[in-house]
Amino acid sequence: MIRLLIEKELKELFRTSKVIWMLGAILSLMFLALYNGYAYYVSHSSLLRESQEVTYKQFISQGDKNPHLGAHFGFYAYKPTADMAMVDNGIEDYTGNSFYLEPHKRGVVKFKEISDATGLRSFGFLNIGYLAQFILPLFIFLITHNIFSKEWENGTIKLLLSSKATTHQIFAGKLFACLLLVLSMIVVIALAFMVLLWKENDQGSFARLLPACGFYILGLTLFSIMITAIGTSVSLLTKSSTLSLILLSGFWLVGVFLLPRLAGEVSKNVYPSITSLEFENKTFDEKQYGVGNEGHKDIRREKLLKETMAKYNVKKIEDLPVYFIPITIEFFEESDGVVMDRAYQAVDENESLQDHFVLASAWLSPFLAFRDFSMRITATDMSTHNDFTRKAENHRRKIGEIVDDFYQKNTVAGNDFWKTVPQFSYQAPGIGWRLGNATHSILILTGWMLFSIGLMVFSSRKMTV
Amino acid sequence: MKLSVFNILFNHEIKILSRNKVLVSLFSLIILILISSLWIGSSMLQKQQETIGKITQTETAMTDSLKTRIKRIEANQMVYPGFIWDDPTFAYNTARNEGPKYAVKKPFALQALNVGQSDVQPFYYKVYINKKQYLTYESEIENSFLQFIGNFDFAFVVIYLFPLLIIVFSYNVLSSEKEQGTWVLLKTSNHSIARMILWRIVIRYILFTVFFWLIVTPFLISQIGGSFLITTNWAWLMAFVSLYFAFWFAISFLVNSFSMSSNVNAMVLIFIWLFTGIIVPNLLQVGLSKTYPIPSRIDMLTEERNAINKYFEKDGQELTKDVFSSPRAMIRQASIVTPEMVYGYGVIVYKSQEIKDAATAVAEGKLYTQIQKQQDAISRFQLLSPALMMQEELSALTGTHWHQFNQFSLDVDKFRKETQQFYYPKMAHENTCRTFSLDDADAIPQFKSKDYRDFSWTNLRQTFFTYLGIIAIVVFAGYRRMLDSTK
Amino acid sequence: MLKAENLTKQFGTHTALDNLNLEIKKGDIYCLLGSNGAGKSTTINIFLGFIPASSGRALIDGNEVTVNNHATRDLVAYIPEVVNLYGTLTGMENLEFFSGLSGYNYSKTELIQFMETAGLQRSAIDKRVSSYSKGMRQKVGIAVALVKKAKALFLDEPTSGLDPHASNEFSQIITHLSEQGVSTLMATHDLLMAKNLGNRIGIMHQGSLKHDLLSQEVSHTDLTRLYIDIVKQNV
């Protein structure tokens, strides 16, 4: 019975020229998105991988230098392109990817690609993630908005209801017909994505990526089912194609564009960010004049000298068996580090409050929740970025220690020494960690799933003449 | 005669529109959204102005502190009691510590309407002699996630939301007559239906646009003052926004003329909106980044570092040896920082910076050329996407376009060179090391701040009239079709 | 076969059907007359299970009709005033679909036979319904009813808008079905047709049945008079 209903719906859909046009459009967009995402991934990942090699090579072949001067030459920690960035590049282009490993300067990630983009960038970046989060829902709504209402508008509902089919069967038939269309597209996406991923990775890393891919595709599938269910239910509830089209596309517009942006602006007002001017002034003061009653830098330096001289039992700085400058550098590296860590932590915490605020608004927009889920699973989110920053900063301090230890005994460092400084490499944590970060959005999506089930039950009760 | 028909239709439209509860509530909602976007924009503007106020304060405080400290040293027979790296009489120290000045892009009041590039480009730099601002600047502390989500400004509301509102207002202007059956009655009246429908669209457009500006203008004046009213930017902005509305009404008229059902009209219009507003810009982006790939700043960095390494193979090596191994520097005992060491560092920094600047000049030029090429292509392809056209023109008119920020960045670069020219000779003055005097403190170059609202680099007139032409053609085509279909 | 026991339907405060009692036997063609809003369509909608009765019972072959009751739905077929079909499907595909929904699995030849019985030209069967005339759609509607092998047939103004020839064809098919034992309840405005086609005639007004007549016992003129008298009441 349901098969019959599905067949009839599909026949009707495929004989409507607008549906064919839409399908054609979305399919070509899909391939373009795959290509674009793939090209992005390939060019970015190779650039970053090679640059990481080059910057380190430059560092270890810089020749004989004062160790501190050489350390200032430093090298860069580049955030490698996320392994699933060909699907969704999330906030990658907004966070930057270069972290300067240089002594006594708390690193900041630089080179936001977005700064070197034209206004076109504000229209989004077409990849599978963008397609799934922005265009696919609208496409689903365009397919489903009249799937029920047309029966009323054609007047076929009476014949349909006087048949043997139950309302549940009729609902299921229509839902499955739409799902067949939607899910077959997702299958194509999933297959193409798998092939590209397999092509770009060796067996080991492909196997490592599989769970994340699985979860992403599962999420995308459930999300599309939910959107289809909502579209179908609204079509049934309104019994009018135009009204349901207005309602659904309004819901889409609000959920995809309006609400996230509005929530973003509100969050900036609720949790205002510190300006970089204030940030600079504040950290400068704390470093210079000390926190609490630490005292001015000069006083602390004097104290350090006295302590060092006492330690080595000498009366004059010239008699120290070690060099004093690296000791001061190391000392202030630590105390300044505390100041900078605290300041950056405050910034990070404020940003995470803002992010949570925005995400909370996803209770009103499943699209936003899915966008968050997508970024988390593909590790193109803020948490991954912060994880990278943390690890790069740790690496920076490790280098500082190595150089300062050497500098206490030597005034010239050669390539032999530079080679003892370890290269930086980063890999985003695995699926467990990613899912952990996505808990909130998964919870919201589950809520929406329940809502859509409720909506289906509620609407199928309204299937009367 | 014509006027009376107009009157009848006008009254009819007002009645129909005001009795449609869906339309009225939708319209009120959008107005609310519009006002909140204006409010958000103006509070951003105010925040920038506050920041700039603080910058001025900081700068005054810095200069005062610098001068007091120099005065104290000069009064104290040039003895500086603190750490040598903080001694302001070393030009290199001042250049690092209290010397750097801020370069500020004064916000233009109309920026409240359009964030444009101002969330990704810094509107102020602290200009150092040894840091190329584009390689080291930290722009305003912005939450990347929020940047990614995008801004909620007047431009967004106008470019994205209003077309949809217009679609809702006009998608069924003809089809509803058919569906209600009033079509037959209209047909039997002695007026041309095509002309009547055209009039009705025109009336709706006028009502819509006049109402829009009646809300926007006073509210904006209340938020940011009225001085923007006399700028040509504002006049053009009004013209472009009204033109954009006209475009959507015209498209809706054309779609109506195909005599399809209301539902199909709505779908076609939404699709046009999606296609021109989202898909075309995206396709253009794919194409342009393929044709004019924008090099990464990482490449620039790599070249800079290569040049430095090369320099230190020979000349740099000798210079460092000279500086650090000279008996005067006494660097062999790396426990005490000597004046010569401060001076030596200054010289090395200055020399290396010259090398770096030369090395990156080419890469930098390439970066900006590629972006510029993309920009040029965008202005050529603007015809394909009214949304894109609006975004470009609104940015240009509100002083937030890439071009304007780039102009600012170039000015800052010039200013940085000026600052370098100021410090370098003082840093390289080998005999005394401590050359920086009270007079020098007053002579540090200052950046002349501007608001970069000039838009003469873009051909607004041509774009405007091209679109006006397109609208005329669309209306004419729609009218012809409607004449045919209503015969 | 069809039985209404104290059938009442209220829409808010408005009483659409007031204590209707009616019995239609096997093979009967019962024509319900009455002005717009008399309660004819409400009666049919209740029997079809589209809307629930406020009180009273409607029975088909001894089974009580409730909303979405499939025991009774299997027994009935329905032809509305305008037979609306899926325009993008052909007549054949429509028939296939609805017969499938009724749980029958006919071969293509059998379905063609049904169409021919219903009077649809062979050449039109595989054309899309969007190109059909009203009469052709009506015939597909009849074919759908035939396919179900329904025991009770409900017709709502089936011949309005049909030309005399088509209308005549339609009557013949209904008579044919009645001979095979199908009970028919038909709502109509057409007095002549009711007299000629029906063997029983009911006249409804404001939700109640005012007259229940055997068509042999009443002449066309009498019927017209009775009808007008009733409609004139409370006007």
Side-chain angles (χ1 to χ4, degrees), chain B residues 4 49 209 229 234 252 265 288 299 353 407 426 457 484:
Chain B
S4 73
Q49 280 160 341
T209 313
L229 286 172
W234 174 248
S252 187
N265 281 354
L288 289 185
D299 291 341
Q353 196 56 46
Q407 208 54 52
K426 296 181 178 35
W457 44 273
D484 290 344

Side-chain angles (χ1 to χ4, degrees), chain A residues 32 58 64 73-74 115-116 119 121-124 242 258 261 265 276 278 280 301 318 324 354-355, chain B residues 54 83 121 124 126 140 143 151-152 160-161 171 282-283 285 297 305-306 309 317 333 335 391:
Chain A
L32 196 68
Q58 287 169 333
D64 292 352
F73 180 65
S115 316
D116 288 330
R121 240 3 231 286
S122 62
F123 289 92
T242 311
L258 210 101
R261 287 175 184 237
E265 298 294 352
S276 48
E278 289 165 338
E280 204 185 311
R301 190 179 295 106
E318 287 86 349
F324 184 58
Q354 293 177 333
D355 297 351
Chain B
K54 280 185 198 147
F83 193 34
Q121 307 279 3
Y124 63 92
K126 195 170 183 180
E140 207 34 283
N143 183 339
N151 294 295
F152 190 86
Y160 282 104
L161 265 42
Y171 73 98
N282 256 302
L283 296 183
Q285 200 186 139
R297 293 191 177 211
R305 292 166 61 81
N306 266 338
N309 262 1
Q317 191 70 306
Q333 229 281 31
S335 283
Q391 187 186 278

Side-chain angles (χ1 to χ4, degrees), chain C residues 5-169:
Chain C
E5 290 177 354
N6 304 325
L7 210 53
T8 304
K9 177 67 191 176
Q10 275 178 315
F11 293 107
T13 55
H14 172 69
T15 308
L17 211 55
D18 191 3
N19 242 354
L20 179 79
N21 284 293
L22 186 72
E23 197 177 347
I24 302 169
K25 296 207 171 56
K26 199 176 166 190
D28 272 357
I29 300 178
Y30 195 104
C31 292
L32 266 183
L33 294 168
S35 54
N36 294 329
K40 308 185 298 283
S41 297
T42 309
T43 311
I44 290 180
N45 282 338
I46 290 175
F47 268 107
L48 287 170
F50 287 166
I51 52 173
S54 304
S55 65
R57 304 202 299 168
L59 299 164
I60 299 176
D61 206 11
N63 300 307
E64 181 169 351
V65 180
T66 50
V67 171
N68 294 330
N69 179 347
H70 289 274
T72 56
R73 254 185 205 178
D74 282 353
L75 303 172
V76 304
Y78 170 64
I79 301 174
E81 177 178 357
V82 181
V83 178
N84 292 305
L85 298 163
Y86 299 106
T88 51
L89 305 189
T90 64
M92 192 62 189
E93 283 170 335
N94 269 288
L95 185 63
E96 244 178 309
F97 173 63
F98 283 111
S99 73
L101 280 192
S102 307
Y104 295 97
N105 193 7
Y106 292 108
S107 70
K108 188 111 182 164
T109 8
E110 283 172 306
L111 287 173
I112 292 175
Q113 244 162 16
F114 281 117
M115 284 290 210
E116 280 173 348
T117 314
L120 197 70
Q121 282 172 322
R122 184 75 176 79
S123 57
I125 289 176
D126 288 320
K127 287 199 176 122
R128 288 200 186 183
V129 164
S130 52
S131 66
Y132 280 20
S133 71
K134 195 178 173 212
M136 285 158 86
R137 285 161 183 260
Q138 201 81 5
K139 285 169 184 166
V140 179
I142 293 167
V144 170
L146 291 175
V147 152
K148 275 185 89 175
K149 306 223 160 99
K151 293 188 172 169
L153 188 60
F154 294 90
L155 310 171
D156 200 348
E157 311 280 359
T159 54
S160 72
L162 290 191
D163 63 58
H165 175 67
S167 179
N168 189 37
E169 267 185 358

Side-chain angles (χ1 to χ4, degrees), chain A residues 81-98:
Chain A
T81 310
D83 36 30
M84 285 170 73
M86 63 173 86
V87 182
D88 188 353
N89 61 349
I91 56 172
E92 295 270 276
D93 292 347
Y94 293 80
T95 52
N97 45 23
S98 312

Side-chain angles (χ1 to χ4, degrees), chain A residues 295-405:
Chain A
H296 190 274
K297 222 169 191 170
D298 290 347
I299 296 169
R300 281 179 280 158
R301 190 179 295 106
E302 280 305 310
K303 214 173 126 199
L304 178 70
L305 179 62
K306 276 193 191 118
E307 281 168 9
T308 317
M309 289 197 297
K311 186 178 161 198
Y312 290 100
N313 232 341
V314 294
K315 291 267 171 315
K316 263 170 42 195
I317 183 170
E318 287 86 349
D319 296 338
L320 278 173
V322 290
Y323 296 131
F324 184 58
I325 292 175
I327 295 175
T328 47
I329 293 173
E330 189 60 37
F331 174 79
F332 284 109
E333 176 86 71
E334 252 167 57
S335 69
D336 290 354
V338 173
V339 169
M340 295 310 280
D341 280 352
R342 200 172 33 221
Y344 275 108
Q345 201 188 340
V347 170
D348 287 349
E349 274 167 12
N350 191 59
E351 291 191 351
S352 118
L353 285 174
Q354 293 177 333
D355 297 351
H356 273 103
F357 183 91
V358 174
L359 187 56
S361 75
W363 284 107
L364 300 173
S365 161
F367 316 103
L368 180 60
F370 181 71
R371 197 192 303 180
D372 187 76
F373 171 81
S374 170
M375 289 195 310
R376 305 278 184 194
I377 297 298
T378 53
T380 53
D381 59 330
M382 209 59 209
S383 304
T384 311
H385 182 70
N386 290 338
D387 183 58
F388 161 77
T389 319
R390 216 168 20 247
K391 287 180 178 154
E393 173 65 11
N394 286 341
H395 198 74
R396 188 188 72 77
R397 290 190 185 167
K398 200 156 89 189
I399 297 173
E401 279 165 27
I402 294 173
V403 173
D404 288 329
D405 280 351

Side-chain angles (χ1 to χ4, degrees), chain A residues 90-119:
Chain A
I91 56 172
E92 295 270 276
D93 292 347
Y94 293 80
T95 52
N97 45 23
S98 312
F99 190 102
Y100 195 8
L101 305 168
E102 186 192 18
H104 56 80
K105 270 176 198 152
R106 201 325 181 153
V108 232
V109 186
K110 286 181 304 205
F111 302 162
K112 299 180 168 195
E113 219 166 275
I114 191 72
S115 316
D116 288 330
T118 60

